[in-house]
Structures are given as C-alpha cells and as structure tokens.
Amino acid sequence: MKDINWNDYSLETQAIRAGHKRTHEDEHSMPIFATSSYVFKSAEEASLRFTGQKPGNIYSRFTNPTVNAFQERLALMEKGERCLAFSSGMAAIMAVGMGLLKAGDHVVCSRSVFGNTVLMFQNYFGKFGVETDFVDLTDAAAWEAAIKPNTRFLFLETPSNPLIEIADIAVLADIAHKHGCLLIVDNVFCTPVLQKPLELGADIVVHSATKYIDGQGRCVGGAVVASDDIIEKHIYPYLRTGGSTMSPFNAWVFLSGLETLAVRMKAHCDRAFELAKWLEQQTGIAKVHYPGLQSHAQHELAKRQQSHFGGVVSFELTGGKEHAWKLIDATQMLSITANLGDVKTTITHPASTTHGRLAPEVRAAAGIKDGLVRVSVGLENIDDIKNDLLRGL
Ligand SMILES: *Cc1c(COP(=O)(O)O)cnc(C)c1O
C-alpha cells in the first residue's frame, strides 16, 4: 500500500481511508484480527518488542491491528497525536483518572456531565482520596474560583445533556493552563465532525464510541485522544496494566461507523434543527433547548465553536411530568430509551430516568424540570418524527 500522509487529507477522507495497513492478502476492507497474541521470529525479537525497543504487536490487551486502525483514524479526525481505544466510554474516563490522578489531587468537573461520570469522580476516585468539586458548565468565573493548588484537571462535556448548554472550550483551556491544570473534554455529543476540542486548546478528548461513532446502536466502546506525551506517560501504561481493552470486533464495527460519520452527523443536525424550529411553534411547549435557535443563551458561541448544532433537542412541556409521560407514551415509532446518537430517533424523560436518582433539589439546581423531554433525532423521515410527537402534543 502506498505510504500516504493522512494529515494532508480532510476529515471525510481520513474517516474512510486512514488507519488500514493492507496485508499481503490485498484485502480492500479492514480485516478483524481475532488473535490474542503474536509470534516472534526469535527470542531476541520477542525481547525487543516487549521492552519497547522495536515496534510491533505483542499481545491484544494493548496491541491489535484492527484496534490500532481505529485508534489511528480517530486520532487523525480529532487532530490529536495519538488515540487509545477502550472497552467503553466509562472505561476511557476511568483510564484518564487512573493515569493522571493520585491521592490528594483535586478535580473540577462540570455539574452537567454524564451521570456515571459524576459517580466515577465522587464514589470511586473519591474513595482513593481524590476530591472533586462540581461547577456550572457555562460559568467561567466559577471554574477558575474552584481551582486549588492541587487541582490536576478540569473535566467537561459540551454541549451538555440534557439541556444542551455550551461551554467556551478556548476560554476554559486558558484558565486551566494558567493554573497548571489540564482540560479534558468529553466530545461525545459533537464528535470531531462538529467540534475539535484539541484545536481549541483542550489537552485530552474522551469518547463514548457507543453513540454517534457506532451510530447504529450495536457496540459499546470508548477512546482517549491526546498528545503522544500524555498518552505514552499516563494513559498507555494504565491500559497495558488495567486491561480495559476494546475488542477487535468492536473496533471493526466502529471503523465502519467512522466511515459514514460525517454524512450522518450532517443529516442528524439538519433534522434536529428543523425539529427544534418546529417545536418552538407548537402549543404546550414552554421552551425548546437547541443551540441553533436564536433563543439559546449560547447561540453565538455554538456558531463559532461548532460546525453545526448537533443532533439532540430537548424541550419543556407546560404540563409538567404528566404531559411529558403522555407525550412519550403516545409515540408509536420513536424508541423510548436513554441512548443517543443512533439512526433511530430516541425519546426520554430525564427527570425520571437518567437524572431520576438525583435529589429533587439537586435536579432543580441543574435545571432539569419535570416537563423536560429529550429527543436524539435519528435519520428517519423528519415528517414521520414530527407526526409521532404530534400524537401526544
Ligand atoms: C454514554 C456516554 C458516556 C459513557 O459511555 P459508555 O460507552 O456508555 O460507557 C460518557 N459520556 C457521554 C456524554 C455519554 O453520552
């Protein structure tokens, strides 16, 4: 295969062609390397590979050609130097913490992150002497005020779930660096197609590949993208020892997911924007949360930071929880599930599901009202999606 420098190509092309090193069998599609170990030509060769003096595969807990192809491709798309794949998005976040934190360290985390991310910092890293403070995602002054001398990193998701609030990544990166901290961005909602946090100054990007990267709800997986230095010093040693590895089969599914990611994201965003504008005109809706709308508090920032506004829309019904449940139950086609990023449109009631375990006052402080409904807009015909929602409106 020709030796191509994929950095010279655009994201759409990288997503389709980068990472695959064609074998002596001349295959056109990336093969699944279902092998746990590799054979060395000699005892010396085995020794050189194990000690890192010679590159090459060693053992599939940390080196596998199919997984490597996925890592190379996603690293290019995120404009990062290196990517490591993990068994899930949570495993990727766990790896970042295990690699970077020690007892006595401090973390500042957005209040509006994935529920299990909150639990990871509070319950698990907390158990080992790492303290985490949670702050309002959009309040840059609150982020800076929460930083202590022992703060190791700031962690956020933008846009947030389920209120689709936007943080200014460049501003928060400057704040983090001024205080000697790293900025970590969970880029699940945007994917590199809509937003490249590393270009905006973030140090590490984490992913749940389970969502838009797969795009068809088949596999669970995750990834960490960062500089070669951060990966080599902090993340790779943990993966090699901790073993939360992505399987070659899942990497193969995610590779084909990446191939269609750019066209899917555009289609998700176009439909979500149209749905958001349509929802604003319906009766019984108090507010529509979508960064493409003029009414969104960070509309200008979203326009600047993202290439499109994303595939998730949420809205508040004036009739509270009763009307929200009625609307959800009246749908025929939409999937009632908290998953997102799928070609199938999903609908969920955050206050009683993803955020149902929070105390009511904590939920209220996070702005998650009882009438809130979240829709992850899929790729069905938009009129069918609207009609399904109209049944309960
Ligand atoms: C789903 C999700 C995760 C966790 O990923 P898994 O693959 O389910 O472990 C992390 N962050 C965000 C924003 C998510 O949506």
Side-chain angles (χ1 to χ4, degrees):
M1 206 140 102
K2 295 181 195 93
D3 202 10
I4 293 175
N5 181 359
W6 292 110
N7 283 304
D8 299 340
Y9 287 76
S10 65
L11 177 140
E12 291 85 348
T13 307
Q14 292 165 344
I16 291 169
R17 292 198 171 265
H20 178 193
K21 300 192 175 47
R22 198 165 292 153
T23 74
H24 61 280
E25 298 290 357
D26 301 324
E27 75 284 351
H28 194 200
S29 167
M30 180 72 209
I32 305 175
F33 282 87
T35 180
S36 53
S37 61
Y38 303 85
V39 181
F40 310 109
K41 287 182 188 65
S42 65
E44 188 195 10
E45 162 112 8
S47 167
L48 291 173
R49 285 216 208 157
F50 264 87
T51 54
Q53 291 163 274
K54 214 177 151 189
N57 297 313
I58 303 169
Y59 184 63
S60 282
R61 189 183 331 104
F62 48 96
T63 51
N64 177 278
T66 315
V67 177
N68 285 348
F70 170 75
Q71 293 176 160
E72 263 190 60
R73 191 173 288 184
L74 187 58
L76 282 158
M77 292 171 71
E78 283 284 1
K79 298 226 181 278
E81 287 173 3
R82 205 162 145 200
C83 168
L84 285 182
F86 289 88
S87 54
S88 69
M90 289 319 302
I93 294 169
M94 171 90 168
V96 167
M98 291 298 275
L100 288 170
L101 298 169
K102 62 179 186 318
D105 279 350
H106 177 250
V107 170
V108 186
C109 185
S110 160
R111 197 171 280 139
S112 315
V113 289
F114 191 64
N116 285 294
T117 305
V118 175
L119 297 179
M120 176 77 75
F121 285 115
Q122 263 178 355
N123 297 3
Y124 294 97
F125 294 132
K127 190 160 91 167
F128 296 100
V130 173
E131 193 200 355
T132 302
D133 280 312
F134 294 90
V135 297
D136 186 286
L137 174 69
T138 60
D139 184 352
W143 282 93
E144 184 153 30
I147 294 175
K148 300 179 181 183
N150 57 340
T151 303
R152 184 75 171 103
F153 60 72
L154 318 185
F155 188 103
L156 63 90
E157 275 166 35
T158 180
S160 69
N161 179 29
L163 292 178
I164 335 286
E165 291 175 312
I166 316 268
D168 194 323
I169 295 174
V171 165
L172 292 176
D174 282 347
I175 291 174
H177 298 153
K178 192 170 109 192
H179 294 275
C181 310
L182 301 175
L183 179 68
I184 305 179
V185 176
D186 178 330
N187 202 25
V188 167
F189 267 59
C190 275
T191 82
V193 174
L194 304 189
Q195 167 176 284
K196 294 185 187 64
L198 299 175
E199 279 192 329
L200 297 165
D203 301 284
I204 301 177
V205 162
V206 295
H207 267 291
S208 165
T210 318
K211 313 295 167 53
Y212 287 108
I213 289 179
D214 178 315
Q216 296 180 60
R218 297 162 296 193
C219 292
V220 175
V224 176
V225 189
S227 67
D228 201 34
D229 186 57
I230 288 177
I231 296 283
E232 188 61 29
K233 274 201 197 117
H234 302 287
I235 315 295
Y236 174 76
Y238 170 75
L239 172 66
R240 187 163 174 165
T241 300
S244 41
T245 311
M246 177 181 283
S247 81
F249 176 78
N250 285 10
W252 179 79
V253 171
F254 294 136
L255 275 163
S256 57
L258 287 176
E259 289 171 11
T260 57
L261 185 64
V263 281
R264 278 188 290 110
M265 288 313 288
K266 180 167 185 343
H268 280 295
C269 293
D270 288 346
R271 283 167 175 72
F273 200 0
E274 184 175 338
L275 188 72
K277 286 186 279 196
W278 177 81
L279 283 166
E280 266 197 331
Q281 283 153 16
Q282 307 305 306
T283 51
I285 295 178
K287 182 157 179 60
V288 180
H289 301 272
Y290 190 72
L293 300 175
Q294 298 285 345
S295 58
H296 190 279
Q298 294 102 25
H299 174 64
E300 289 304 320
L301 171 60
K303 268 207 306 213
R304 200 166 70 230
Q305 184 164 276
Q306 303 176 195
S307 65
H308 208 325
F309 300 112
V312 180
V313 181
S314 59
F315 52 99
E316 273 156 40
L317 294 160
T318 48
K321 176 181 165 186
E322 199 188 333
H323 190 184
W325 279 29
K326 191 181 138 239
L327 174 95
I328 291 168
D329 291 343
T331 61
Q332 289 183 0
M333 169 185 83
L334 304 194
S335 310
I336 305 173
T337 168
N339 197 23
L340 63 96
D342 200 292
V343 289
K344 298 184 179 104
T345 300
T346 66
I347 187 163
T348 181
H349 181 243
S352 62
T353 58
T354 46
H355 296 71
R357 283 175 297 171
L358 298 179
E361 59 279 8
V362 176
R363 201 161 55 232
I368 296 156
K369 303 221 171 101
D370 285 348
L372 189 75
V373 172
R374 190 199 74 188
V375 175
S376 167
V377 183
L379 303 187
E380 304 97 336
N381 184 294
I382 188 66
D383 293 331
D384 290 331
I385 300 171
K386 286 179 191 166
N387 286 337
D388 219 26
L389 290 169
L390 211 46
R391 287 177 228 283
L393 272 174

